[in-house]
Amino acid sequence: MKNLTFLVLILLLSENSINANAKNHKHRKQGKAGPPTASKGRPLVYKNDDNGGDVLDANATPSVTISNTFSVRSYGAKGDGVADDTSAFEKAWADACKVQGSTVLIPSGFVFLVKPMAFSGPNCQSNIVFQLDGKIIAPTNFGAWGKGLLQWLDFSKLKGIAIKGQGVIDGRGSVWWNDKTTTYQTDQEDASDLQGEGEDKAGMPSTKPTALRFYGSTDVTVTGITIQNSPQTHLKFDDCVGVQVSGISISSPANSPNTDGIHLQNSQDVIIHTTNLACGDDCISIQTGCNGIYVHNVNCGPGHGISIGGLGKDGTKACVSNITVRDSTIKNTMNGVRIKTWQGGSGSVQGVMFSNIQVSEVENPILIDQYYCDGHRCANKTSNVAISSVSYQSIKGTYVTNPIRLACSESTPCSGITLSTIILHPSLNAKNDSPFCWEAFGEIQTATTPTVTCLRNGGPSHKQPSNSGGSC
Ligand SMILES: *[C@@H]1O[C@H](CO)[C@@H](O)[C@H](O)[C@H]1NC(C)=O
Ligand SMILES: *[C@@H]1O[C@H](CO)[C@@H](O)[C@H](O)[C@H]1NC(C)=O
């Protein structure tokens, strides 16, 4: 009896969502393309009272099972990898959005072709689950992307959103990676769309989309899934608070340009763990506005390593703090753990710990580059993003080019850099190279291999980070 009272109380507390469910169900009965899908979890029972409201009746025999699962298949998605399933996804999302704790189901055994789509949330109920068991593929025809878009699958302004399952998001990015002048390779389903575009328009737009983005959302979970072959970044979080990423796999070829694995900006309280990242750019890229980022048990490679920055481009102010990366492996990458800033920026990077990182065949395992310059020659400026309190503990393995390079800014030298248990050997075909430091201050806590003699003791006395014009 106690249990029953408890159940009724719970149901009453979630009255809003039940009403939404009930309305939804009535809709479906009227023949709207709605999904009478199997309910996950315990069925809820309601009956109509005489005033037209839905009331709970704990004693009734279950006459109606209310489902909060919306399968895209029930909205007409074909899932044959050829038909355009975008509108089915849009309808399923629109209905799921009205129900608190609902599930959008993308069932296994199907391949859904979905065009660029906004899973827009400002008017949605909270805690929606996107159960991805099947595969979603991006269009590869020029026409689907207009003049170029920044996102393919874009979730925004949600409170509680989870993407889970064993499914795959495939950006089919190879058509974007190839140079515009190279032969355009099209899948069969796109051939008709291409007709009439003209041979010279065969290339894709120059703006390449991120495969999966979350914007302006809280309590975001991404778990289990695979994201592959994105035209650009695979998974991006912008302006999010409370992010959990685990058990996912990201993969694209080592030579695919700008294909970051996970990109974070303006986000707080982010945990990324138990994840495999293989791509053509940074495995994880931490940008301005990030605070409280915890990365552990991640495998990175191929790729460019795990990076904070580039920060302070075009004189901008950047603030990054409280970043931990630990218990991870980095293999066959350009860099290991890197902090990069542009000349002329302001703000700070503060409180970073890299701990227990196993590197193997990494060109530059430990790298701070405050002279970051993307291609052209960049002039030196009188300010920079200040870097302080960065600790490297137990970084072990093999390097290809330079084991330790701390190239700090003359205007705002690095301070509080600590090194302990650093053991880096040249890989089989690499030359022995000595650590390099410039304007780097800190402390060697235990003897390192190779020996570091260039780190300066104490703190920079002549200039303070506040000179850089940006306290965060
Ligand atoms: C730093 O970030 C972690 C999450 O990674 C959080 O648990 C911790 O409270 C933060 N510490 C401070 C001092 O903000
Ligand atoms: C900027 O300053 C650094 C450190 O003094 C120096 O090595 C580099 O050559 C300078 N770059 C330019 C473009 O002047």
Side-chain angles (χ1 to χ4, degrees), residues 268-271 291-295 321-324:
Q268 287 93 51
D269 301 331
V270 177
I271 300 179
N291 171 30
I293 313 292
Y294 184 29
V295 176
S321 55
N322 189 12
I323 312 292
T324 299

Side-chain angles (χ1 to χ4, degrees), residues 25-39:
H25 193 88
K26 280 180 204 152
H27 254 328
R28 279 180 230 140
K29 271 195 167 164
Q30 287 155 10
K32 208 184 163 209
T37 45
S39 171

Side-chain angles (χ1 to χ4, degrees), residues 329-342:
T329 68
I330 303 180
K331 197 172 179 176
N332 294 324
T333 55
M334 182 187 281
N335 306 293
V337 289
R338 168 169 64 160
I339 302 174
K340 52 178 174 173
T341 71
W342 296 76

Side-chain angles (χ1 to χ4, degrees), residues 396-407:
K396 301 176 184 174
T398 56
Y399 68 89
V400 177
T401 306
N402 195 310
I404 300 170
R405 184 176 166 85
L406 308 172

Side-chain angles (χ1 to χ4, degrees), residues 120-387:
S120 175
N123 301 313
C124 288
Q125 296 292 318
S126 58
N127 300 326
I128 300 176
V129 174
F130 198 83
Q131 181 70 34
L132 179 64
D133 294 326
K135 185 172 185 178
I136 300 178
I137 59 173
T140 53
N141 58 307
F142 181 87
W145 299 96
K147 290 198 166 74
L149 292 168
L150 291 168
Q151 269 77 232
W152 171 31
L153 305 172
D154 191 23
F155 290 79
S156 63
K157 305 260 177 185
L158 287 148
K159 291 189 183 68
I161 174 74
I163 299 196
K164 354 176 128 165
Q166 298 303 306
V168 176
I169 290 175
D170 188 343
R172 300 201 291 176
S174 60
V175 293
W176 302 81
W177 307 329
N178 298 332
D179 184 58
K180 274 193 170 187
T181 54
T182 61
T183 314
Y184 184 73
Q185 309 222 332
T186 177
D187 294 329
Q188 220 174 358
E189 71 264 26
D190 301 316
S192 58
D193 295 320
L194 261 184
Q195 277 163 18
E197 292 273 13
E199 302 280 300
D200 54 330
K201 278 196 174 181
M204 301 301 275
S206 57
T207 303
K208 298 175 193 167
T210 287
L212 174 60
R213 180 182 81 147
F214 294 88
Y215 174 76
S217 297
T218 55
D219 294 324
V220 183
T221 302
V222 179
T223 180
I225 66 168
T226 295
I227 308 171
Q228 63 194 30
N229 299 324
S230 178
Q232 206 231 63
T233 296
H234 287 78
L235 174 59
K236 181 185 281 191
F237 298 94
D238 187 0
D239 200 15
C240 289
V241 178
V243 174
Q244 297 246 15
V245 176
S246 65
I248 74 162
S249 181
I250 285 178
S251 92
S252 65
N255 63 355
S256 56
N258 307 118
T259 55
D260 280 351
I262 301 176
H263 186 104
L264 304 170
Q265 67 191 54
N266 296 319
S267 292
Q268 287 93 51
D269 301 331
V270 177
I271 300 179
I272 298 169
H273 70 93
T274 324
T275 280
N276 294 323
L277 305 163
C279 55
D281 206 312
D282 295 336
C283 289
I284 299 177
S285 163
I286 298 169
Q287 298 291 335
T288 186
C290 286
N291 171 30
I293 313 292
Y294 184 29
V295 176
H296 68 93
N297 295 93
V298 158
N299 298 315
C300 162
H304 292 185
I306 294 176
S307 286
I308 297 173
L311 302 171
K313 190 178 183 180
D314 299 326
T316 54
K317 177 175 173 178
C319 296
V320 172
S321 55
N322 189 12
I323 312 292
T324 299
V325 179
R326 64 182 310 151
D327 306 329
S328 293
T329 68
I330 303 180
K331 197 172 179 176
N332 294 324
T333 55
M334 182 187 281
N335 306 293
V337 289
R338 168 169 64 160
I339 302 174
K340 52 178 174 173
T341 71
W342 296 76
Q343 288 283 309
S346 65
S348 66
V349 174
Q350 243 173 337
V352 180
M353 173 153 78
F354 298 114
S355 172
N356 191 24
I357 312 281
Q358 184 71 42
V359 295
S360 136
E361 307 282 312
V362 171
E363 286 175 40
N364 308 289
I366 294 177
L367 177 62
I368 293 179
D369 180 7
Q370 294 218 274
Y371 300 86
Y372 184 68
C373 185
D374 208 355
H376 342 279
R377 196 172 157 79
C378 304
N380 282 332
K381 304 272 173 61
T382 54
S383 74
N384 209 313
V385 179
I387 296 176

